[in-house]
Amino acid sequence: MNKDVIIALDFSSAQETLDFLDKFPDGKKPFVKIGMELFYSQGPDIVRRVKQRGHKIFLDLKLCDIPNTVKKAMKALSGLGVDMTNLHAFGTKAMMEAAVEGLTRPDGTRPMLLAVTQLTSTTQEAMREELMIDADMPEVVARYALNARDAGLDGVVCSPLEAAKVKLTCGIDFATVTPGIRFADSAADDQRRVMTPARAREAGSDFLVVGRPITAAPDPVKAYERCIAEFLVK
Ligand code: C5P
């Protein structure tokens, strides 16, 4: 699997986003993540504009609805030419299978499809009390990951702390995309459980999702290159 670092474009306007991408010299086109804030405020046009500049795009919209609706929504996202997108495994295998069908283009190709198992903001207590799920969190994450693999998905978004267990449960080729990454000498911000790029690699991460350590750095290009060097070079 081609490992890579994905920059989270957590900006609120198209201008801010494009100004940030302009900092990267010609020929350097990082893999980027567009999330709900940017997509819902700017619409599909922001995806087209970033794609036109030659970047790979992870469209992080975490779909969850009845199978037919998700299938049609995925078809629309696939038409935007994104490289990776996601949904909630909570929607069941039937929904995930429909999503794969919707994403698949007439030529048989499709973007990578990942599942969110349990949000990292969900606690064991909330899961038991509010969602009425009694199993332990690691067990729930592993089962949802297996459901995703069985439905034909390519991997999960998870904490780097869960990556090894996901690989053990679902196999080495099942992709792990992990946020919560910090350099050894940078602030954790609001992330609770963080890992350095090098540790995340050792833990089994295939793709790092990195926001503020790059976007808020005094020199974002240098921070991106440092992240790549620590993650990809042993
Ligand atoms: O700035 P930072 O590196 O914390 O950004 C991480 C990115 O990954 C953000 O876009 C955040 O929404 C996303 N994310 C996360 N934790 C998850 C899922 C997604 O931090 N469990």
Side-chain angles (χ1 to χ4, degrees):
M1 192 174 317
N2 287 330
K3 292 176 182 267
D4 210 345
V5 171
I6 303 175
I7 305 178
L9 297 178
D10 292 327
F11 300 112
S12 54
S13 73
Q15 197 54 54
E16 231 185 315
T17 306
L18 300 178
D19 286 349
F20 172 78
L21 295 176
D22 280 343
K23 295 182 199 290
F24 289 82
D26 278 350
K28 198 167 282 287
K29 302 287 180 190
F31 201 142
V32 296
K33 177 171 91 73
I34 292 178
M36 291 188 202
E37 182 187 7
L38 199 52
F39 190 79
Y40 291 145
S41 65
Q42 306 301 315
D45 191 50
I46 188 66
V47 175
R48 294 190 193 99
R49 291 174 78 178
V50 173
K51 191 79 207 161
Q52 243 168 26
R53 288 169 166 240
H55 296 271
K56 283 189 174 175
I57 298 176
F58 169 21
L59 190 54
D60 178 17
L61 299 181
K62 302 184 181 70
L63 272 62
C64 193
D65 207 317
I66 59 171
N68 186 53
T69 301
V70 168
K71 179 176 164 180
K72 288 178 175 168
M74 286 295 182
K75 189 167 183 203
L77 299 186
S78 185
L80 283 176
V82 299
D83 300 277
M84 187 185 272
T85 191
N86 61 0
L87 46 63
H88 273 284
F90 180 73
T92 76
K93 277 197 245 182
M95 186 200 81
M96 292 192 270
E97 283 162 4
V100 171
E101 225 181 288
L103 266 189
T104 307
R105 306 182 184 105
D107 66 1
T109 63
R110 65 166 173 80
M112 274 184 85
L113 183 58
L114 309 165
V116 173
T117 54
Q118 281 290 347
L119 292 168
T120 48
S121 51
T122 303
T123 62
Q124 180 78 53
E125 190 188 16
M127 212 167 62
R128 191 173 45 242
E129 304 284 321
E130 298 174 33
L131 308 180
M132 298 177 78
I133 299 171
D134 285 329
D136 286 340
M137 182 65 83
E139 230 182 297
V140 174
V141 169
R143 176 57 198 265
Y144 283 22
L146 261 184
N147 290 347
R149 191 201 62 184
D150 292 349
L153 272 68
D154 307 292
V156 289
V157 182
C158 64
S159 156
L161 294 148
E162 291 157 0
K165 190 173 171 73
V166 168
K167 293 280 185 188
L168 265 177
T169 313
C170 298
I172 197 76
D173 292 333
F174 195 65
T176 51
V177 178
T178 63
I181 303 300
R182 290 296 179 268
F183 293 120
D185 54 2
S186 67
D189 303 309
D190 54 350
Q191 296 282 13
R192 293 288 161 84
R193 302 182 305 155
V194 298
M195 250 193 214
T196 63
R199 283 282 301 116
R201 180 197 169 93
E202 287 160 16
S205 298
D206 296 312
F207 294 89
L208 304 186
V209 174
V210 187
R212 288 159 290 181
I214 294 175
T215 55
D219 184 340
V221 178
K222 217 163 135 189
Y224 170 71
E225 279 166 354
R226 176 181 174 189
C227 199
I228 291 272
E230 289 189 15
F231 181 54
L232 296 182
V233 183
K234 277 195 173 177

